[in-house]
Amino acid sequence: MTDPLQPVLILLAIAVLAVVVFRLLRLPPMLGYLLAGVIIGPHALGWIPETDETRHLAEFGVVFLMFSIGLEFSLPKLVTMKRIVFGFGTTQVVISIILVMAVTWVLGLDWRVGFVLGGALAMSSTAIVIKMLAERAELNSTHGRQVIGVLLFQDLAVIPLLIIVPALATEIDSDTNDFSLMLAIAIMKVIAVLAFILLFGQKLMRPWFHLVARQKSSELFVLNVLLITLGLAWLTELAGLSLALGAFLAGMLISETEYRYQVEDDIKPFRDILLGLFFVTIGMLLDMQVVIENFFWVFVILAALILLKIVLIAGLSRLFGTDSSVAVRTGMNLAQGGEFGFVLLAQAGAIGLVENSVLQPVLAAMVLSMFIAPFIIEYNGQMVQRFYSSEWMYRAMQITSIAAQTMVAQNHVIICGYGRSGQNMSRLLEQESVPFIALDLDPRRIQEATNAGESVVYGDAARREVLIAAGLMRAKVLVISYADTVSALKILGHVRELRPELSVVVRTRDDSDIDLLKEAGATEVVAEIMEGSLMLASHALMFVDISTGRIIRRIRETREQRYSLFRGFYYGDTDEAEDDSEKLFPRLLTITINPGAAAINKTLGDIDLASLSVEVTAVRRRNIRGLLPASETRLEMGDVVVLRGTQGNLAAAEIKLMQG
């Protein structure tokens, strides 16, 4: 192809088509990228040649993926999960490598090939697993926490593996002493680079970002992020290490600044697009002719990969003290190949460490395992439930934990959804000493709220048994605080069946579903846009000398008429843009004062978070929660501090509390 634009257009067209199809099928778009690569690659239709330029472009996808992982890398979080991450995760990767090396030794292959294949097959797909667990609201479950811990270590283990693989290739033409020297030099090199970047980077990163942010230019901010990411990636490659390592370090450095949330939003489009191109190029590596010729070995590797991973990970999970059903679900969630396994195989193939005849069947098996993974993850709960009665017990325990918190509650309020509206309501109820229980599905929000001592539990309010466990038969009122008509109708159906006389207040975004929700049994429907219009009008009327009593009467009449005066308006281009202001709204953040934190033994007045426009709303100490603590309150190790402020200011406050 002589036209340089033609391959790009073909690549984009096929990628868009594949992603649309896979989204319609409710499958991860990454699988669409892989399939697109298989179809247009040099081994199939041959529309896109396999060139160095294509590979280099795709490599940037891995760079930005590693940058995102570094950006979310939290040392306090790592400390709390250290047993799963460094115990469970390390054991899984090491044993996987040893097992594969043993198999390759039996087959007569070089041990270096076994090491590379073991490292690649030990990886699981972070992109597929995390996305599907989040959609299924299982991130906060027992098996979900184990899966996250293992995936986190696998992501970290890629860094030393990327360093060792080139050293293994050099060892082919040298003796053992030379290889040991090469490996020692590589380790010393990475320690030196890490020390240099982390030592000087931490001192320079925050003031440099302050300088860039003061220019108040979004273009400059994005350019700066790209410069730091690609610049550090280039430095590590210059030192003989990997681009991905430099990007990971760049993410870690920026995560220590108050700009990490903004950076994450800015970098996401680059990461997703380039990562998609990376998966396309991985699909291009698959030679279907080789797969057909080696069908038996592809099937054997695929079956061995899935079954051995399930057995190994489930066995390790049992050793770490979990129930059999949870252990099996953990194994089934991690039974596929991973994106970083492709990175290792691509690197090993490029330097000639693994022959194509060995590489292709393994690559094919890994790709197929990722195609199968969404189905295994989707239905593993049902499969496990057939064989393990303890899985039913596990679900029952979740319901029991909800019931335990509402066992003595009478005439309480059930809040379905603990977002901003639910939390604001809970504060008013708390001030009036009205008991309530909140149900939510966001693991992070629940963790933050329970750390602060608030009455919120994990549960899907649209499920009948969850509502019963939350004390539906004894509640005074039920409030649906999130704007989801489909879910609200399910809840109203359960209430109408079990307790039709119960008052139900439903939130909706506009006036379009008011009649539908009223017919389904809602006592009151609050349309947030309509209420905002009422408040806006009431304040305006005060300034044109309308009496307060008349204004209140007008508001009451409008509500009684179901907002008929306000129903329907002209949509404009600026309506959607209002969502961009979300970052400016105050939010809550809970921070645990870990050992070594700068805030230990300091008073809130000494720390002076008010200078950052952040308010301390509560301090929880040994399960005793104090609201609006005084400036003389001295923080201790283990305290949970609840902060209120905007996203960027909260990040700055967290740094001040933990690092000084």
Side-chain angles (χ1 to χ4, degrees):
M1 295 181 183
T2 57
D3 186 355
L5 187 58
Q6 189 174 351
V8 176
L9 290 175
I10 292 173
L11 184 63
L12 292 175
I14 294 295
V16 169
L17 180 62
V19 171
V20 168
V21 170
F22 273 73
R23 283 198 177 276
L24 289 174
L25 296 174
R26 296 185 178 181
L27 294 172
M30 185 185 66
L31 300 182
Y33 287 121
L34 288 169
L35 182 60
V38 173
I39 294 171
I40 65 177
H43 304 298
L45 296 178
W47 290 352
I48 303 293
E50 190 178 355
T51 62
D52 291 337
E53 289 78 9
T54 306
R55 285 193 293 269
H56 289 323
L57 180 62
E59 193 172 2
F60 285 120
V62 183
V63 166
F64 284 106
L65 177 61
M66 289 300 291
F67 175 79
S68 298
I69 293 171
L71 200 62
E72 298 172 2
F73 190 78
S74 169
L75 287 176
K77 180 181 178 181
L78 194 64
V79 169
T80 60
M81 298 177 64
K82 60 185 178 182
R83 187 168 179 266
I84 296 176
V85 175
F86 295 108
F88 192 168
T90 304
T91 309
Q92 183 264 324
V93 171
V94 171
I95 293 180
S96 296
I97 293 174
I98 293 173
L99 285 175
V100 175
M101 288 179 68
V103 172
T104 55
W105 177 77
V106 171
L107 295 175
L109 297 175
D110 192 280
W111 70 269
R112 303 171 195 84
V113 176
F115 182 87
V116 174
L117 295 181
L121 295 173
M123 301 296 133
S124 302
S125 176
T126 302
I128 292 177
V129 177
I130 294 297
K131 181 179 183 297
M132 294 203 64
L133 287 181
E135 290 176 350
R136 293 170 57 80
E138 293 179 354
L139 286 174
N140 201 43
S141 63
T142 306
H143 68 273
R145 287 193 296 271
Q146 286 198 336
V147 166
I148 292 171
V150 173
L151 287 173
L152 179 57
F153 181 81
Q154 288 179 358
D155 292 341
L156 295 175
V158 170
I159 296 171
L161 288 174
L162 288 173
I163 296 169
I164 293 172
V165 168
L168 289 175
T170 306
E171 197 266 345
I172 293 175
D173 300 319
S174 59
D175 58 32
T176 306
N177 293 331
D178 292 336
F179 171 68
S180 301
L181 180 62
M182 283 285 299
L183 190 57
I185 291 173
I187 294 172
M188 293 299 294
K189 193 184 294 184
V190 72
I191 292 173
V193 171
L194 282 170
F196 176 79
I197 292 177
L198 294 177
L199 181 63
F200 291 98
Q202 281 189 325
K203 294 180 179 179
L204 295 175
M205 195 64 66
R206 189 175 291 115
W208 175 250
F209 262 91
H210 284 326
L211 176 64
V212 172
R214 279 199 297 269
Q215 310 310 310
K216 298 182 179 179
S217 169
S218 58
E219 297 93 337
L220 178 62
F221 192 86
V222 174
L223 284 173
N224 180 59
V225 173
L226 293 176
L227 173 65
I228 291 172
T229 306
L230 299 178
L232 286 180
W234 176 75
L235 281 176
T236 52
E237 187 184 41
L238 200 65
L241 305 174
S242 67
L243 289 169
L245 175 60
F248 178 79
L249 294 174
M252 281 190 63
L253 291 176
I254 295 176
S255 73
E256 299 296 324
T257 72
E258 55 268 42
Y259 300 100
R260 66 178 184 267
Y261 297 115
Q262 181 64 43
V263 169
E264 189 173 10
D265 289 338
D266 289 340
I267 214 70
K268 192 173 186 294
F270 298 98
R271 181 198 66 193
D272 292 345
I273 293 171
L274 292 171
L275 191 60
L277 292 179
F278 166 73
F279 287 124
V280 170
T281 58
I282 291 299
M284 289 168 60
L285 292 174
L286 187 62
D287 188 342
M288 292 304 298
Q289 184 65 34
V290 175
V291 173
I292 294 171
E293 293 174 356
N294 297 274
F295 177 78
F296 173 76
W297 284 111
V298 172
F299 178 78
V300 168
I301 295 170
L302 175 63
L305 171 64
I306 294 175
L307 294 176
L308 289 179
K309 261 194 167 182
I310 291 175
V311 172
L312 172 61
I313 294 173
L316 291 174
S317 181
R318 284 288 290 151
L319 287 177
F320 279 79
T322 57
D323 186 81
S324 298
S325 61
V326 175
V328 173
R329 293 195 69 179
T330 302
M332 295 179 79
N333 277 286
L334 294 170
Q336 73 291 134
E339 44 269 14
F340 284 120
F342 292 134
V343 177
L344 290 171
L345 288 181
Q347 184 186 45
I351 60 181
L353 186 58
V354 181
E355 294 180 1
N356 196 53
S357 59
V358 177
L359 183 67
Q360 284 298 327
V362 175
L363 184 66
M366 289 176 60
V367 173
L368 291 173
S369 74
M370 295 174 78
F371 274 104
I372 296 171
F375 304 102
I376 296 178
I377 297 171
E378 180 70 27
Y379 299 108
N380 68 66
Q382 299 175 21
M383 289 187 282
V384 169
Q385 196 170 355
R386 286 178 176 271
F387 298 101
Y388 291 96
S389 59
S390 57
E391 175 66 13
W392 178 85
M393 291 296 294
Y394 172 70
R395 292 178 180 269
M397 286 173 63
Q398 288 183 316
I399 300 299
T400 304
S401 66
I402 299 173
Q405 296 196 36
T406 61
M407 191 173 296
V408 297
Q410 295 285 344
N411 296 323
H412 60 291
V413 178
I414 299 176
I415 303 175
C416 302
Y418 206 59
R420 187 182 301 152
S421 298
Q423 292 173 47
N424 290 337
M425 171 181 291
S426 72
R427 298 203 185 10
L428 291 174
L429 294 174
E430 195 173 22
Q431 286 184 342
E432 297 297 328
S433 300
V434 176
F436 69 89
I437 182 73
L439 302 169
D440 201 272
L441 287 173
D442 189 317
R444 179 177 176 182
R445 182 184 296 151
I446 293 169
Q447 185 65 44
E448 296 274 354
T450 52
N451 285 344
E454 299 185 17
S455 183
V456 57
V457 293
Y458 181 88
D460 184 358
R463 290 174 55 193
R464 185 175 186 270
E465 58 269 27
V466 170
L467 289 174
I468 295 173
L472 179 69
M473 308 309 292
R474 305 185 305 276
K476 185 74 173 178
V477 63
L478 184 143
V479 179
I480 303 174
S481 68
Y482 54 88
D484 184 341
T485 302
V486 175
S487 179
L489 290 173
K490 290 181 181 179
I491 296 172
L492 288 169
H494 295 317
V495 173
R496 185 165 53 187
E497 175 192 351
L498 297 170
R499 202 175 162 205
E501 77 280 4
L502 181 67
S503 298
V504 181
V505 181
V506 183
R507 171 194 162 201
T508 185
R509 199 170 299 281
D510 52 36
D511 61 322
S512 58
D513 294 322
I514 290 178
D515 295 333
L516 179 64
L517 292 167
K518 291 287 291 183
E519 291 173 4
T523 310
E524 290 293 339
V525 180
V526 179
E528 57 186 40
I529 292 179
M530 304 301 138
E531 285 297 321
S533 302
L534 278 174
M535 291 299 100
L536 191 66
S538 65
H539 285 287
L541 289 172
M542 288 181 183
F543 289 101
V544 293
D545 299 327
I546 305 296
S547 67
T548 303
R550 187 177 177 85
I551 293 172
I552 293 173
R553 187 167 64 254
R554 289 293 186 194
I555 292 173
R556 185 171 63 248
E557 290 173 354
T558 303
R559 285 181 177 140
E560 288 173 353
Q561 294 167 10
R562 306 263 63 86
Y563 309 108
S564 60
L565 184 65
F566 293 156
R567 298 178 85 165
F569 75 102
Y570 299 105
Y571 284 86
D573 292 335
T574 58
D575 292 324
E576 294 298 327
E578 292 178 359
D579 292 336
D580 294 337
S581 61
E582 284 291 313
K583 299 172 188 174
L584 303 178
F585 283 104
R587 60 187 66 195
L588 295 179
L589 175 69
T590 59
I591 296 175
T592 302
I593 306 300
N594 292 315
I600 294 176
N601 293 327
K602 291 184 179 179
T603 66
L604 294 178
D606 293 335
I607 301 169
D608 189 23
L609 295 181
S611 63
L612 300 174
S613 300
V614 173
E615 177 188 4
V616 181
T617 64
V619 174
R620 182 186 180 196
R621 179 175 298 163
R622 291 183 285 275
N623 291 327
I624 298 175
R625 186 164 176 260
L627 297 173
L628 298 176
S631 60
E632 295 81 17
T633 302
R634 191 173 299 276
L635 296 179
E636 299 178 2
M637 187 177 68
D639 285 352
V640 178
V641 183
V642 184
L643 306 179
R644 182 179 184 272
T646 60
Q647 194 176 60
N649 292 340
L650 288 174
E654 182 179 3
I655 291 170
K656 194 169 186 179
L657 285 171
M658 304 306 292
Q659 300 177 12

